[in-house]
Amino acid sequence: MKKYILLPAMMVAAMLSTTAVKAQEDVNPLLKYVNKENNLKASIGGRMFADVAYYHTEWTPMKSGAAITDARIHASLTYGKLFIYADFGFGNGEFSQKNLFAQYTFKESLKGIHLVKAGYYNEPSSMSMMTSSYNYHFISRPSVSQALDPGRSLGATYKFFNRHFFADQGIFSQLKYNEQEEGYQGFSLSGRWLWKPINDNNITLQFGTGLRYQRINGGEVYQDGVYKTNMHVAANMQTYVDETTKFLSCDLPWAKDAFTISPEFLFKSDRVFARGEFIWKKVWKDRDDQTLFESQLGGQQSWTNVEGWRSGNKLRPTIMNGGYVEFGYLLCGKAYTYDDEYGLLKGMGDKGGLELVARYSCTNLTDITDGDIFLIGNHKFYPNGKVVDYPYSSSIDGGTMHSVTLGLNYSFNQYIKIMGEYQYANLSNVYFPDDENFHQLQLRVTPIGIYANGKTLKSGTKKQCEKYCRTKEITPEERVRKARSFILNPKQNKGEVTGK
């Protein structure tokens, strides 16, 4: 039965009475050990998140309700310039490996900082995916980033950054446990490069791009020893209580090579931020046509030559794209801040901080050949407007979604923050012709600043900052990942210490 759109008054009432809550089990669960003689530091911690959300759809229902979406145990070890971090999740009742890496800082100077990193962590090619959930100004990342940008992979990177430049690049494996059914693993080359013409205590302006090349090798045995590769592309509806990806998903059989480019921008002042990315992905396909042609010889309706077989089983590249822009205005609280080590905007965590945020995002997983038609009864595309057995259509429709999100965030202190959101999404997907308008209400309470309170404890030269850290036995952890104990300013040769 088709539902009707709620009246604005009912929307407001639902906003007040239904919630998407993310609660922390322990405000500060860290256990720390410091050995000054051996320059050794260790910590153990954990957290638990629970979400509740309300959804309104036109036809296919989404599951409003509650779930333990994230529960983690993490540990870190710092020995001199070496930092080791492990993070494991138990959300939704399942064990998952989140982060497991080692990082070594081998050169620091006024010209910049050099470090290497190896293990299992996010590939550096997207501003959105690199931003920690602690620092994100929305309840979820945009769906286009979920679908087209990479997440965590097993690999190694080299990073250089200073006040005006940032470069992070590396090589990664296709699968962390070599769990492909057949064949050998593929790999990817990922990188993110930024230029910051303005970057001071008040204003940051940066432009950059992420690039990624992916080679897909492992797959399943199709027939006669031919490996069939596949790329699955999917995203949820920008929510975590019901993480269904059926509205935005597609499979790309025979995918072999993929290239992604993600230009980005960021502007930050004390009270305003604006940022965005455009993501473009092209996937090339390849198969052993000769072997597959030969395997069908002798049938009642077999092709007589390989060229004819190719014309009936067309294969072409697939292009997908999308983007987002996000805005924020800080009504109350201290100024927005910026993280030089990761080239990212930090979160809002000061006592009494209040901000308004807005986002527009577009996700396009559709690549339909001109003239092709779709029959819902057969769930199949047909070429040139004709319902025939051959040739096969190479059209893909994983859905196109436009969404607008409005949010209001408030931080009680450096530990607790409330995030409220309303989202409207418009979907176009031939597999869901009766689903067009989606409404979503969420309210989240989330922990922030577990590892650092975000306050400036000491300002001065680099040596003064380092001495202060040693004297006070400060563990320089601003975020879930290890951050710098100082931020270089080449013109003034000054630093800033932040931590517990």
Side-chain angles (χ1 to χ4, degrees):
M1 179 177 177
K2 194 169 184 177
K3 300 178 181 178
Y4 295 95
I5 299 175
L6 295 176
L7 294 173
M10 295 178 67
M11 284 297 215
V12 175
M15 186 72 171
L16 296 175
S17 61
T18 60
T19 60
V21 179
K22 195 169 193 178
Q24 183 184 16
E25 186 178 35
D26 296 304
V27 174
N28 192 347
L30 282 178
L31 297 176
K32 288 191 175 183
Y33 169 77
V34 178
N35 186 326
K36 292 180 63 177
E37 285 187 13
N38 297 316
N39 197 17
L40 179 69
K41 300 173 185 177
S43 67
I44 299 175
R47 69 171 186 252
M48 185 186 77
F49 297 157
D51 288 15
V52 182
Y54 172 79
Y55 312 107
H56 177 270
T57 63
E58 287 186 308
W59 188 258
T60 305
M62 291 180 64
K63 297 184 291 184
S64 301
I68 299 175
T69 57
D70 195 11
R72 297 195 192 186
I73 296 176
H74 45 79
S76 67
L77 175 69
T78 304
Y79 179 67
K81 295 183 177 181
L82 177 66
F83 175 72
I84 300 173
Y85 184 81
D87 185 14
F88 302 95
F90 303 90
N92 296 313
E94 298 179 355
F95 171 81
S96 61
Q97 182 175 312
K98 297 297 184 180
N99 295 286
L100 183 61
F101 63 83
Q103 179 175 288
Y104 183 78
T105 303
F106 62 90
K107 185 176 182 181
E108 298 182 10
S109 69
L110 295 178
K111 294 182 179 180
I113 296 174
H114 304 256
L115 55 87
V116 292
K117 186 176 182 179
Y120 183 67
Y121 53 95
N122 278 78
E123 293 190 35
S125 64
S126 165
M127 175 170 59
S128 175
M129 297 301 290
M130 291 296 293
T131 302
S132 165
S133 59
Y134 284 95
N135 289 334
Y136 220 83
H137 296 254
F138 296 82
I139 290 176
S140 75
R141 294 176 177 85
S143 56
V144 62
S145 297
Q146 299 177 42
L148 302 183
D149 282 326
R152 296 180 181 91
S153 300
L154 182 66
T157 51
Y158 159 76
K159 181 193 292 186
F160 167 81
F161 68 95
N162 60 23
R163 186 184 179 194
H164 292 292
F165 296 98
F166 174 96
D168 191 6
Q169 52 276 306
I171 184 170
F172 295 85
S173 64
Q174 183 179 344
L175 300 166
K176 62 180 180 293
Y177 293 128
N178 199 37
E179 65 264 37
Q180 69 274 11
E181 183 176 328
E182 296 290 343
Y184 58 91
Q185 276 207 56
F187 67 93
S188 61
L189 301 173
S190 297
R192 182 169 173 250
W193 300 271
L194 305 174
W195 172 54
K196 297 170 276 189
I198 305 174
N199 186 23
D200 54 37
N201 292 332
N202 300 317
I203 295 177
T204 298
L205 176 64
Q206 79 177 27
F207 302 95
T209 190
L211 296 175
R212 184 177 189 247
Y213 166 75
Q214 181 182 9
R215 175 75 172 183
I216 302 107
N217 286 323
E220 62 178 1
V221 176
Y222 182 61
Q223 60 185 48
D224 293 341
V226 174
Y227 293 138
K228 183 179 182 180
T229 59
N230 183 72
M231 176 183 289
H232 182 66
V233 179
N236 62 41
M237 301 296 284
Q238 299 178 166
T239 182
Y240 297 113
V241 173
D242 185 348
E243 292 190 89
T244 180
T245 60
K246 58 189 175 185
F247 300 110
L248 289 171
S249 66
C250 62
D251 285 291
L252 304 178
W254 306 108
K256 194 64 177 179
D257 300 277
F259 176 75
T260 307
I261 182 170
S262 308
E264 65 176 72
F265 80 93
L266 167 67
F267 170 80
K268 177 208 73 74
S269 67
D270 289 346
R271 295 288 168 183
V272 175
F273 80 81
R275 62 184 176 186
E277 287 183 273
F278 175 77
I279 305 167
W280 183 89
K281 190 183 195 79
K282 186 173 184 177
V283 181
W284 289 268
K285 303 166 187 177
D286 187 38
R287 69 190 170 201
D288 188 349
D289 287 352
Q290 185 64 39
T291 300
L292 294 175
F293 162 72
E294 293 174 357
S295 69
Q296 58 87 49
L297 291 174
Q300 291 183 351
Q301 296 181 344
S302 60
W303 300 91
T304 58
N305 57 73
V306 67
E307 289 78 16
W309 185 89
R310 286 196 185 103
S311 66
N313 298 270
K314 293 182 178 180
L315 206 62
R316 67 172 179 85
T318 297
I319 296 177
M320 298 169 287
N321 56 63
Y324 69 90
V325 287
E326 297 176 340
F327 303 94
Y329 179 71
L330 192 62
L331 300 170
C332 304
K334 295 183 180 179
Y336 286 127
T337 54
Y338 176 80
D339 189 334
D340 278 291
E341 180 174 358
Y342 295 97
L344 300 169
L345 177 71
K346 292 184 181 180
M348 180 192 68
D350 297 311
K351 183 177 180 180
L354 179 66
E355 69 172 345
L356 287 169
V357 294
R359 174 172 67 198
Y360 165 76
S361 68
C362 173
T363 306
N364 179 23
L365 307 184
T366 299
D367 190 357
I368 300 176
T369 304
D370 291 341
D372 283 10
I373 61 173
F374 181 81
L375 292 186
I376 187 65
N378 295 340
H379 275 211
K380 187 177 179 181
F381 281 97
Y382 293 90
N384 305 317
K386 299 178 181 179
V387 180
V388 294
D389 292 334
Y390 293 97
Y392 286 124
S393 171
S394 56
S395 293
I396 297 291
D397 190 356
T400 298
M401 186 178 80
H402 299 266
S403 69
V404 176
T405 304
L406 301 176
L408 181 67
N409 305 325
Y410 178 78
S411 60
F412 289 97
N413 51 45
Q414 65 265 34
Y415 301 103
I416 303 296
K417 179 171 66 174
I418 292 180
M419 306 175 73
E421 283 186 1
Y422 164 73
Q423 176 182 289
Y424 167 74
N426 179 268
L427 176 72
S428 174
N429 189 322
V430 294
Y431 296 96
F432 297 91
D434 295 319
D435 293 290
E436 183 176 353
N437 300 298
F438 293 74
H439 299 270
Q440 180 174 298
L441 293 168
Q442 297 190 100
L443 178 67
R444 169 177 292 177
V445 179
T446 183
I448 60 175
I450 289 179
Y451 297 95
N453 60 17
K455 297 180 179 179
T456 300
L457 305 180
K458 174 70 175 177
S459 296
T461 65
K462 174 183 172 182
K463 290 185 178 180
Q464 290 172 334
C465 291
E466 291 176 326
K467 182 178 179 181
Y468 185 86
C469 287
R470 291 193 298 269
T471 303
K472 300 295 183 180
E473 299 182 357
I474 293 173
T475 302
E477 294 179 301
E478 291 183 285
R479 305 170 58 203
V480 173
R481 299 163 290 190
K482 182 187 176 189
R484 308 310 307 165
S485 59
F486 53 89
I487 299 174
L488 291 176
N489 185 329
K491 291 187 177 181
Q492 300 178 5
N493 188 25
K494 289 185 177 181
E496 182 178 286
V497 174
T498 60
K500 280 188 175 290

